[in-house]
Amino acid sequence: MPELPEVETTCRGIAPHIIDQTITQLIIREKRLRWLIPSEILVKNLISQKVLSVTRRAKYIYIQVTTGYLIIHLGMSGTLQVFPANIPHRKHDHFECILKNGKVLRYNDPRRFGCILWAEDPTQLKIISTLGIEPFDKQFKGEYLYQKAIHRKISIKELIMHNQIVVGVGNIYASESLFLAGIHPLLPANQLTLVEAKKLCKAIQVILEKAITKGGTTLKDFYQSDGKPGYFSQQLKVYGREQEPCVNCKKKIQAIRIGQRMTYFCPKCQNN
DNA sequence: ACTGGATCCTGATCGC
DNA sequence: TGCGATCAGGATCCAG
């Protein structure tokens, strides 16, 4: 799935094609996503509206019109791309906005773990209001993470993937950030020192920023809005590299399962 | 309040 | 080549 860099890449990719464009028609082929697509509300609010902005909060994409926001989450396997409207749709193109300029914004999601919602004010939605801070927020600092970690027994890897703490850190970037910070993924959160917390915050920001500049990470099915894959996969130091030599110390990268998710780390460089 | 586990769904891959 | 089992980038909900 798209983690934060993939979502950011998607926003940047579609924005120039849809901002200031008028939505003329919606096509909803499959409304059964994580939650049912609110078809009638979308039609009522989006038709004849001009797109004002494309932004995101956590991994939720906000497409703003005058009366509110179309909110799209890509789940594990979703993509959002702009095509000329005459290009035939593909399998799993569940939702699309036809634009006056002859283009179409298409949402494709084989696993249907994503969602499409409407909100006049997204901050009123429960799924949005419970979100933690953005990793690039000024407040996301060592002190913040340290305070959040101090009473928790879960592993540090699970903690940073928790979106009530910090948003946007998914399974790939969690492993990569911990490697960069030199912290073992199984370290109990309440044993994280302030120094380590600072290092980890910085690492998360560095990794996410780098991934954004590379257009995200394509493992299988993520594509940027122009159809190209993301190139950050070439920069992955531990994720998916089980038994391969560590780029720093040559020791073999280990794979373990933490909370049902595969986790990769170097047993020497992350040995606390 | 926290924690671990189950759950939604399709498609790719692997072992037999 | 075919089949079943397993795994995948997320996040919510529930029982304990």
Side-chain angles (χ1 to χ4, degrees):
Chain A
M1 144 21 146
E3 298 187 36
L4 188 137
E6 291 72 39
V7 174
E8 181 65 33
T9 297
T10 297
C11 287
R12 293 182 189 184
I14 63 173
H17 298 287
I18 68 171
I19 287 179
D20 286 335
Q21 298 303 324
T22 302
I23 299 169
T24 56
Q25 191 191 346
L26 299 183
I27 296 178
I28 301 164
R29 298 192 181 82
E30 173 57 84
K31 57 175 69 173
R32 293 172 305 164
L33 304 184
R34 167 176 285 282
W35 300 294
L36 280 190
I37 297 177
S39 312
E40 286 174 24
I41 294 174
L42 293 186
V43 168
K44 196 178 86 187
N45 285 285
L46 292 174
I47 300 297
S48 305
Q49 292 292 313
K50 203 177 251 193
V51 174
L52 301 179
S53 68
V54 179
T55 53
R56 66 157 187 87
R57 168 77 172 103
K59 297 173 191 165
Y60 294 89
I61 297 167
Y62 290 179
I63 296 176
Q64 186 190 17
V65 299
T66 50
T67 52
Y69 298 81
L70 172 65
I71 302 174
I72 299 176
H73 193 291
L74 302 176
M76 294 268 261
S77 56
T79 53
L80 197 56
Q81 293 172 263
V82 176
F83 297 94
N86 58 3
I87 302 270
H89 68 84
R90 305 151 299 177
K91 198 173 180 183
H92 306 304
D93 277 345
H94 305 312
F95 174 85
E96 51 192 65
C97 298
I98 314 267
L99 304 170
K100 215 181 214 167
N101 66 356
K103 292 189 176 168
V104 55
L105 177 69
R106 287 200 170 124
Y107 173 82
N108 184 285
D109 185 5
R111 292 175 73 180
R112 294 194 273 121
F113 281 8
C115 65
I116 295 181
L117 307 167
W118 171 263
E120 280 176 31
D121 176 4
T123 62
Q124 300 295 308
L125 292 178
K126 191 179 170 219
I127 51 164
I128 301 293
S129 65
T130 55
L131 291 172
I133 60 178
E134 293 283 333
F136 297 121
D137 192 302
K138 281 195 291 283
Q139 292 176 48
F140 184 60
K141 291 190 302 213
E143 288 78 5
Y144 170 85
L145 188 61
Y146 179 72
Q147 283 307 323
K148 292 289 183 185
I150 198 157
H151 298 298
R152 301 295 222 106
K153 293 181 189 165
I154 52 173
S155 69
I156 187 61
K157 194 233 183 188
E158 289 171 289
L159 186 87
I160 59 174
M161 287 184 66
H162 229 103
N163 67 15
Q164 280 127 299
I165 309 287
V166 56
V167 302
V169 182
N171 201 36
I172 298 178
Y173 300 119
S175 281
E176 293 297 314
S177 300
L178 287 162
F179 174 77
L180 183 58
I183 298 169
H184 196 292
L186 282 175
L187 179 77
N190 59 15
Q191 288 177 33
L192 187 77
T193 65
L194 180 57
V195 170
E196 288 170 328
K198 287 181 178 174
K199 229 192 262 183
L200 184 51
C201 287
K202 189 71 200 153
I204 288 170
Q205 291 170 336
V206 167
I207 291 287
L208 292 178
E209 201 164 278
K210 226 187 236 179
I212 290 169
T213 67
K214 293 284 174 182
T217 301
T218 296
L219 292 183
K220 260 195 272 198
D221 47 14
F222 172 75
Y223 295 96
Q224 301 183 54
S225 60
D226 59 6
K228 290 187 192 138
Y231 297 103
F232 192 70
S233 14
Q234 297 160 12
Q235 318 278 319
L236 296 176
K237 303 273 200 296
V238 289
Y239 188 87
R241 298 189 63 243
E242 184 176 10
Q243 295 297 95
E244 290 179 39
C246 169
V247 292
N248 290 341
C249 75
K250 309 288 181 243
K251 242 182 133 41
K252 283 183 177 176
I253 298 302
Q254 306 287 301
I256 52 172
R257 195 166 274 279
I258 300 179
Q260 304 147 285
R261 313 296 297 275
M262 284 314 292
T263 306
Y264 301 86
F265 68 101
C266 170
K268 184 156 178 228
C269 299
Q270 299 166 262
N271 68 346
N272 46 8

